[in-house]
Structure formats: C-alpha cells, structure tokens
Amino acid sequence: MSERAAPFYCPYCGEEDLRPGEEGHGVWECAACNRGFQLKFRGLLARGLRQTGDDGGDEQT
C-alpha cells in the first residue's frame, strides 16, 4: 500500500509549514498559526463522476 498524500498548505492561514501531528493518523500541525487539523477520506460519492459537455444539460441557448 502506498503512503497517503500530505496537504500542501494550512486550510486556516495558507502557510506551508506543516508537520504531522502526534495524536494519530491524518493529524497535521501548522507552525505558522499554531493550529492543528485532521484530514479524513469519507468515501466515494454515490452520484459518481459527471462528464462535462456531453449531456448538454448545463448549456443555455
């Protein structure tokens, strides 16, 4: 199994100085704003992927 991708920036302040947190999987700490946050994958959406331009439903004429 491959390693999970890390976030590129803090969702609160936008800085890139992130470190893995000690509290568990998916926990990150931002050294710039001193906040901690957790990322979690919730699953695939039931509606699936939507093709753009194929169904014409969003186009106005």
Side-chain angles (χ1 to χ4, degrees):
M1 185 176 265
S2 65
E3 187 176 330
R4 304 238 177 203
F8 292 112
Y9 56 89
C10 175
Y12 298 100
C13 71
E15 291 292 327
E16 299 177 357
D17 192 6
L18 300 176
R19 297 182 178 104
E22 297 177 1
E23 290 81 26
H25 181 72
V27 177
W28 293 88
E29 297 173 352
C30 177
C33 68
N34 201 32
R35 287 187 171 113
F37 59 94
Q38 184 172 15
L39 301 177
K40 182 178 179 182
F41 178 70
R42 295 185 59 196
L44 297 174
L45 300 176
R47 65 177 177 249
L49 296 176
R50 190 171 171 194
Q51 299 287 332
T52 57
D54 290 342
D55 59 359
D58 292 335
E59 295 178 15
Q60 295 182 359
T61 55

